[in-house]
Amino acid sequence: MTQKLSNQFEQVSEPSIKTKSEQLVPTRAMVESAFMASVTATIFLINTYFPAGPLLRMFYAMPIALIYLRWGAKPAWKTMLVTLLLLSVLMGPLRSIQFVIPFGFLGILLGYLWKRQFPWAISIPLGTFLCTLGSVFQVSLLSVMVGENLWVYITVQMTSFLGWLWQMFGSLDQPTLWVVQIFAIAGLVGSNFIYMLLVHLVALLLFERLGNSIPSAPKWLETIIY
């Protein structure tokens, strides 16, 4: 009789314990999302007023991607939204838009690809494409804010660089406009490609220690790292 009562008690108590643990999941996701949003906003704020080069910039998209890996798409979108609101209060709406495009959406994209174990051969080109579009958007936005076409300034600087490069090879000809434009776009894409490679390397080393590893690096790159 006593054994039967204990079995019935276990059958009743186990579901209640499971229910309580399940109820803690959305709470943990909410707390971690809020924490990561504050971390992201702080990193962006510090790097804006005290620029440290690409060091802190590599961490812009990582908190959102980490939330995606741990809890899925909905908490990741909430993290990006809370970060947008925090930056809007701290720095104004224009600065917050500069974060969301492209770094907010980059965190969502990388979290989606890493959670589904897409290889680096897919995630890096897609991230590079998104960052390039974001760079074009930021140049356009800054041009509107300043009242001048900043792409013309970039073109002038690239023309000077190519003219110097041409002279190094013994040519006195000036590069044509379409050559300058191609080199400017290639430089923009190349810088974003290097940035994405660094983001993947940092995430590979950092997320593995947090228990949310991303897909492994290509074999040729693993031999260099390790």
Side-chain angles (χ1 to χ4, degrees):
M1 185 68 179
T2 305
Q3 185 177 2
K4 185 182 293 186
L5 289 174
S6 62
N7 292 335
Q8 291 178 355
F9 178 75
E10 290 177 357
Q11 293 176 357
V12 173
S13 60
E14 286 179 359
S16 63
I17 295 174
K18 185 178 180 181
T19 303
K20 289 180 180 179
S21 63
E22 289 177 350
Q23 290 175 353
L24 291 176
V25 170
T27 304
R28 289 181 58 190
M30 181 180 64
V31 171
E32 288 188 17
S33 298
F35 176 74
M36 288 300 176
S38 62
V39 169
T40 307
T42 303
I43 292 174
F44 187 80
L45 179 68
I46 292 174
N47 199 53
T48 300
Y49 294 109
F50 306 98
L55 180 61
L56 292 179
R57 189 168 173 262
M58 290 187 296
F59 295 94
Y60 283 174
M62 286 190 186
I64 299 175
L66 180 61
I67 290 296
Y68 200 116
L69 287 173
R70 290 178 60 83
W71 304 108
K74 190 175 179 179
W77 283 102
K78 288 182 179 179
T79 304
M80 188 181 75
L81 179 61
V82 174
T83 305
L84 173 65
L85 295 176
L86 285 173
L87 291 176
S88 298
V89 173
L90 295 173
M91 307 177 67
L94 292 178
R95 286 292 188 180
S96 62
I97 292 174
Q98 286 183 300
F99 167 77
V100 172
I101 303 174
F103 301 108
F105 291 109
L106 178 64
I108 299 293
L109 175 65
L110 292 179
Y112 175 86
L113 296 175
W114 288 342
K115 192 175 183 66
R116 287 158 180 79
Q117 296 297 308
F118 279 87
W120 289 28
I122 295 178
S123 58
I124 289 182
L126 288 178
T128 302
F129 177 73
L130 180 60
C131 288
T132 303
L133 291 181
S135 299
V136 173
F137 172 80
Q138 291 195 10
V139 170
S140 303
L141 181 63
L142 291 175
S143 298
V144 173
M145 293 171 57
V146 175
E148 296 181 3
N149 189 355
L150 295 181
W151 186 254
V152 175
Y153 173 77
I154 296 174
T155 303
V156 171
Q157 295 298 318
M158 183 59 67
T159 303
S160 301
F161 172 74
L162 291 179
W164 172 80
L165 191 63
W166 262 229
Q167 292 179 1
M168 289 287 293
F169 287 96
S171 176
L172 298 178
D173 297 333
Q174 290 295 321
T176 58
L177 180 60
W178 68 271
V179 172
V180 174
Q181 297 288 348
I182 289 176
F183 270 87
I185 295 173
L188 191 63
V189 174
S191 62
N192 284 309
F193 176 82
I194 295 174
Y195 171 73
M196 285 306 306
L197 183 60
L198 292 175
V199 168
H200 277 68
L201 290 174
V202 173
L204 179 67
L205 300 175
L206 181 62
F207 286 4
E208 185 176 359
R209 289 169 172 77
L210 297 176
N212 298 96
S213 58
I214 68 172
S216 58
K219 296 297 182 182
W220 63 270
L221 191 58
E222 285 185 351
T223 56
I224 298 176
I225 298 174
Y226 302 106

